[in-house]
Amino acid sequence: MKKNGFKKLKRSIRNLKFRANDLFLFSNKEKLPLLSLPSQYSLKVIDSNEKSGIKQIDRRKKNNNLCYAVFDSEKLVHTSWLFKKHSISTQLGYKDALTIGPCETIKSHRGKGIYPAVLSTIQKDNPDAELVIFVKMSNAPSIQGIMKAGFQKILRFKMLKIFGFKFAFRHKHL
């Protein structure tokens, strides 16, 4: 079996599993502080109409999302995705909100202010939009970065993933 075929099969099997996660939903209800990216990094916004030449970005790009990619010289060190329509946000009642995530900073560049600065840039680029971001309750570093960017925790919910489909259930407002 080809390597790509094996990866697809492995991903399909993973999607068959039942998973439940407790998550927090954050929102930008109030105006967020403007944070800037440290000067040694560059940010590129990659829309759905262009190929970046970066495999991990190009395989995830779709018509309803943007990628905020941060580089240290030529090395990709962070990605944050922005979705115009996201099923989990819609299920939670935020059908007009833009959804941020997934977001990832490579291990060697964590704790350097990249993530909060990217969230701030997304807010600046979408000043009139309601932005939401959800994160596992156990992911303390991400929660810290989200809060540093000024987002407020507004909801705790449970997400079930069954056969590749995701279902969100409100738990309680905070």
Side-chain angles (χ1 to χ4, degrees):
M1 183 180 285
K2 289 185 178 179
K3 191 174 183 179
N4 278 347
F6 182 71
K7 283 183 180 180
K8 287 180 183 178
L9 177 63
K10 191 174 171 182
R11 191 175 327 139
S12 295
I13 291 169
R14 202 175 337 131
N15 283 336
L16 292 176
K17 293 180 183 175
F18 171 81
R19 283 190 279 175
N21 291 308
D22 285 316
L23 297 108
F24 285 129
L25 179 81
F26 288 82
S27 177
N28 68 329
K29 284 186 173 186
E30 297 180 23
K31 200 69 172 162
L32 303 179
L34 187 58
L35 303 172
S36 57
L37 197 60
S39 62
Q40 74 262 29
Y41 303 112
S42 60
L43 174 73
K44 182 175 182 186
V45 180
I46 301 167
D47 71 17
S48 59
N49 298 322
E50 64 180 276
K51 287 278 188 193
S52 69
I54 302 167
K55 194 176 190 177
Q56 76 183 71
I57 292 174
D58 291 341
R59 70 183 156 102
R60 186 174 266 174
K61 278 192 338 187
K62 294 191 170 76
N63 287 333
N64 71 337
N65 65 14
L66 296 173
C67 179
Y68 283 72
V70 177
F71 297 87
D72 184 353
S73 296
E74 298 293 317
K75 183 178 183 180
L76 178 66
V77 297
H78 175 88
T79 55
S80 284
W81 292 87
L82 182 66
F83 290 84
K84 294 177 183 145
K85 299 234 183 229
H86 196 282
S87 64
I88 298 298
S89 301
T90 301
Q91 289 176 37
L92 292 170
Y94 296 89
K95 64 180 179 188
D96 296 325
L98 298 178
T99 304
I100 301 169
C103 304
E104 184 178 9
T105 305
I106 65 169
K107 204 171 208 169
S108 62
H109 285 70
R110 293 178 185 165
K112 298 183 180 191
I114 296 170
Y115 183 39
V118 171
L119 294 177
S120 184
T121 300
I122 293 170
Q123 166 72 30
K124 187 181 89 187
D125 290 352
N126 302 278
D128 299 325
E130 179 175 20
L131 300 171
V132 295
I133 184 168
F134 41 91
V135 63
K136 288 182 183 177
M137 290 173 51
S138 60
N139 191 343
S142 288
I143 291 170
Q144 184 179 1
I146 292 166
M147 293 178 81
K148 183 177 179 181
F151 282 78
Q152 267 94 57
K153 193 184 308 179
I154 57 169
L155 181 69
R156 179 178 169 192
F157 71 99
K158 187 173 284 290
M159 183 176 68
L160 301 176
K161 185 175 181 182
I162 306 168
F163 300 115
F165 295 100
K166 296 177 183 177
F167 304 95
F169 300 94
R170 288 178 177 262
H171 188 57
K172 69 177 181 179
H173 274 81
L174 303 173

